[in-house]
Amino acid sequence: MANWFECKVRYDKLQDNGAVKKVTEPYLVDALSITEAVARITEEMAPFISGEYIVSSAKSTKISEIFWDDAADKWYLVKVAFITIDEKTAAEKRSVSQILVAGSSFKGAFDNFMENMKSTMAEFEIVSIAETPYMDVYKVKLGNLPSDASKE
């Protein structure tokens, strides 16, 4: 299971009008620890940023799954309640999960979410869908795992 960390990167960005403005942009990184997340985002951002930059914060998230769409350019956070019935009390129980969904629009994210949920047998209800400020999401790089070094 993936551990997703939100990392904020602060740097000087060249604006369309030619001015330089200090910005802080959030990214999502799959890592085992906050230390690894900071190292990964530093590695990922180095080719794209000229000049100095700093990872201003890093924190774990409660994102349980990500539904990808390579054609999409935005990320939406879907809070979904999975509904189960307690066999002893016959009471309805809800457990809320957060799923990050790629989409070019709100409708695109909703359609992507519903498409990915087709195979689930569980009853669910969408609690909310909101656009996130994430600039990009970085999956784990399997070639960089420490266990690969021992195979040489």
Side-chain angles (χ1 to χ4, degrees):
M1 184 169 148
N3 293 317
W4 295 100
F5 293 89
E6 178 183 289
C7 297
K8 291 187 178 178
V9 179
R10 186 161 177 79
Y11 66 100
D12 292 329
K13 185 175 186 178
L14 184 62
Q15 303 297 301
D16 293 336
N17 63 5
V20 176
K21 181 180 178 184
K22 195 165 278 292
V23 296
T24 302
E25 296 177 336
Y27 295 86
L28 211 57
V29 178
D30 182 9
L32 295 173
S33 67
I34 288 179
T35 304
E36 180 187 351
V38 170
R40 289 262 336 276
I41 196 63
T42 301
E43 175 187 331
E44 295 286 353
M45 297 307 296
F48 303 108
I49 299 174
S50 61
E52 292 185 25
Y53 63 94
I54 185 169
V55 179
S56 60
S57 73
K59 64 180 181 178
S60 63
T61 67
K62 293 184 179 183
I63 294 171
S64 60
E65 197 168 348
I66 295 184
F67 296 158
W68 303 89
D69 179 356
D70 293 335
D73 59 348
K74 297 178 184 172
W75 293 97
Y76 293 82
L77 187 64
V78 178
K79 291 184 183 177
V80 60
F82 290 98
I83 304 164
T84 56
I85 306 294
D86 187 318
E87 293 178 13
K88 294 179 184 174
T89 63
E92 198 175 85
K93 184 179 174 185
R94 295 167 170 260
S95 59
V96 178
S97 292
Q98 295 182 14
I99 300 174
L100 193 68
V101 181
S104 296
S105 65
F106 182 89
K107 182 177 179 346
F110 175 80
D111 292 344
N112 186 9
F113 175 79
M114 294 306 288
E115 180 66 29
N116 279 280
M117 293 300 286
K118 275 184 181 178
S119 62
T120 187
M121 299 295 285
E123 280 192 54
F124 65 90
E125 181 179 283
I126 295 174
V127 176
S128 67
I129 301 176
E131 186 176 346
T132 69
Y134 295 132
M135 301 303 290
D136 210 345
V137 177
Y138 295 103
K139 297 178 190 179
V140 69
K141 289 184 177 178
L142 295 178
N144 291 348
L145 293 177
S147 61
D148 288 349
S150 63
K151 295 178 184 175
E152 294 178 354

